[in-house]
Amino acid sequence: MPVDEGVELWVEERGDPARTPLLLVMGANASGLVWPEALVDGLARQHRVVRYDHRDTGRSTWAFDEHPYAVRDLASDAVRMLDALGIDRAHAVGMSMGGILVQLLLINAPDRLRSATVLCTSALGTGLAGDSDLPGPAPELLAYWQTMGEERDVEAELDWRVEHWRLLNGHGVPFDPAEFRALEQRVIAHSGTPRGPVAHALADQSGLDRGPELAAVRVPTLVVEAPEDPINPPPHAPHLAGLIGSATLATVPGMGHALPAAVVGPLTELIAGHTAAVDAEEQRVR
């Protein structure tokens, strides 16, 4: 799917095309395949689900070294992709950096959103996207990230990614190394390379300090708290929910900054319940 000069995104659709669209926006340096199959299938029971690879991940164009861009440009990619798919308005679900991008859509393109759900993220202008008094990432994660992008063979890269997921998962729900090793084997096969994506860590982060603008948002928004998140720990989610004028806050007990099988069911129910309520209200108004 072309979204910019020389840039194409890999896109996958699932579910009935006649149902309301739902766009899944993944986090930094992560392929769209990181969304668990069970979550995609669960949401596809009531939506036309669209997931995709950001630039410099998966099967999308890898060209950051030749054509660097800003994080905010990834939000523009999402809008252009909706245009190319002929989608006027979609529910948007964003995780981590994907939650940052969905916040930008809430401000820049609210007319394109039916609803928003953000999880494992921080408000614009805080966390990794800014400076605030809220707690930052765990020290062990910051230390581990120093080895991101190093040259490794396939098995060593798999080991690195599984350990990364273990750190991200936290201690609230069980961590199954085999589950995440199988996930990353699929991601590497999908991408066609074991090279770890790093472009989003290098991308310009200017233009993200827009938290105060969230107060004007009227799009129905669900903020999902991950109480064991080692990147955006409490109280990041309540802080974000307090900034967004239309937000409600819900918690998935034990969830960290990963989507293991243990949290997929509760998370899918929260998202599906939120979008179903919005769709029902739109039908009632009509």
Side-chain angles (χ1 to χ4, degrees):
M1 189 76 62
V3 294
D4 202 355
E5 184 177 352
V7 178
E8 294 184 345
L9 303 185
W10 174 85
V11 182
E12 179 196 77
E13 295 191 63
R14 196 174 304 184
D16 185 345
R19 294 185 180 272
T20 52
L22 185 147
L23 178 67
L24 294 171
V25 188
M26 187 31 73
N29 301 313
S31 162
L33 256 64
V34 173
W35 291 107
E37 295 299 314
L39 181 143
V40 177
D41 286 338
L43 294 174
R45 294 189 185 101
Q46 70 186 55
H47 293 291
R48 171 191 179 186
V49 177
V50 178
R51 66 173 170 176
Y52 67 103
D53 293 337
H54 293 295
R55 303 182 188 208
D56 293 279
T57 71
R59 294 185 187 176
S60 293
T61 301
W62 292 51
F64 182 82
D65 291 342
E66 294 79 23
H67 303 288
Y69 49 83
V71 169
R72 64 182 183 275
D73 294 328
L74 300 176
S76 299
D77 285 353
V79 173
R80 293 185 185 122
M81 188 176 58
L82 292 178
D83 290 342
L85 291 169
I87 295 174
D88 292 332
R89 297 169 65 238
H91 300 284
V93 180
M95 177 176 178
S96 192
M97 183 194 75
I100 296 295
L101 301 181
V102 170
Q103 290 175 63
L104 290 175
L105 295 178
L106 285 169
I107 293 171
N108 294 336
D111 58 316
R112 306 304 299 272
L113 300 184
R114 293 174 177 269
S115 77
T117 300
V118 293
L119 57 138
C120 304
T121 196
S122 58
L124 289 168
T126 65
L128 291 173
D131 184 25
S132 73
D133 294 331
L134 295 172
E140 59 265 34
L141 260 177
L142 292 174
Y144 199 69
W145 287 341
Q146 297 304 308
T147 62
M148 183 187 299
E150 291 182 356
E151 292 291 331
R152 288 178 280 265
D153 62 26
V154 174
E155 288 305 310
E157 178 65 20
L158 283 168
D159 290 342
W160 190 96
R161 295 187 189 191
V162 171
E163 175 61 13
H164 189 213
W165 283 120
R166 186 189 69 78
L167 293 172
L168 292 173
N169 188 76
H171 305 289
V173 294
F175 178 75
D176 180 1
E179 176 187 350
F180 283 90
R181 193 173 194 87
L183 166 65
E184 289 300 341
Q185 286 172 331
R186 292 194 300 273
V187 168
I188 287 174
H190 169 75
S191 304
T193 176
R195 179 161 57 105
V198 297
H200 302 158
L202 304 174
D204 176 11
Q205 294 196 17
S206 65
L208 301 181
D209 190 13
R210 301 179 64 184
E213 296 177 60
L214 294 170
V217 168
R218 295 296 175 262
V219 174
T221 301
L222 174 66
V223 178
V224 178
E225 180 176 40
E228 300 297 323
D229 188 342
I231 296 181
N232 301 302
H236 273 278
H239 173 75
L240 174 56
L243 290 179
I244 298 175
S246 59
T248 57
L249 178 67
T251 300
V252 175
M255 186 164 75
H257 204 90
L259 299 176
V263 307
V264 168
L267 178 60
T268 303
E269 288 183 14
L270 280 176
I271 298 170
H274 175 59
T275 58
V278 171
D279 285 344
E281 178 61 18
E282 287 201 1
Q283 286 291 337
R284 188 192 67 80
V285 171
R286 287 177 191 160

